């Protein structure tokens, strides 16, 4: 994740996704607190508004094969970014 290291962002909280898994309902409780959720897959990302978009559609994209929230998951102000994509992280200043 050279992009993340290069940005040297201040980290308020760090959790190990393997030890602290968030399954569907817990993941939803986190994601619904954001104004926008950006979910990255491959080279693309999709933007969701948890207040108006389908809970099921958002969770279908944000959860991995194991049924847990995908990593990395990052909160940036009122947005939550799920997964990694160069095109998504290119939006960060720096």
């Amino acid at each position: 994740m050279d992009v993340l290291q290069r940005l040297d962002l201040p980290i308020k909280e760090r959790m190990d996704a393997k030890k602290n898994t968030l399954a569907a309902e817990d993941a939803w409780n986190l994601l619904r607190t954001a104004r926008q959720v950006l979910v990255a897959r491959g080279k693309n990302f999709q933007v969701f508004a948890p207040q108006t978009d389908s809970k099921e559609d958002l969770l279908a994209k944000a959860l991995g094969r194991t049924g847990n929230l995908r990593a990395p998951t990052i909160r940036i102000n009122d947005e939550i970014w799920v997964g990694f994509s160069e095109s998504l992280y290119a939006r960060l200043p720096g």
Side-chain angles (χ1 to χ4, degrees):
M1 297 248 189
D2 295 328
V3 175
L4 293 177
Q5 292 169 346
R6 178 178 53 88
L7 293 171
D8 192 30
L9 297 171
I11 297 172
K12 291 184 182 180
E13 180 181 7
R14 180 181 296 219
M15 294 172 52
D16 184 331
K18 291 180 183 176
K19 293 179 183 175
N20 302 94
T21 59
L22 290 180
E25 206 52 43
D26 291 331
W28 173 247
N29 288 333
L30 171 67
L31 298 175
R32 70 186 179 130
T33 65
R35 179 181 56 82
Q36 285 191 108
V37 177
L38 293 84
V39 180
R41 280 200 181 218
K43 295 183 179 187
N44 301 311
F45 64 92
Q46 190 170 356
V47 180
F48 292 90
Q51 293 74 25
T52 57
D53 290 337
S54 163
K55 171 183 174 180
E56 291 76 20
D57 290 345
L58 174 53
L59 289 177
K61 298 290 184 179
L63 301 180
R65 292 186 313 265
T66 63
N68 296 318
L69 188 61
R70 295 176 47 238
T73 297
I74 300 172
R75 178 183 294 276
I76 301 174
N77 299 320
D78 60 351
E79 295 182 343
I80 295 178
W81 295 13
V82 179
F84 182 81
S85 167
E86 286 281 345
S87 63
L88 175 58
Y89 282 80
R91 296 174 46 141
L92 290 171

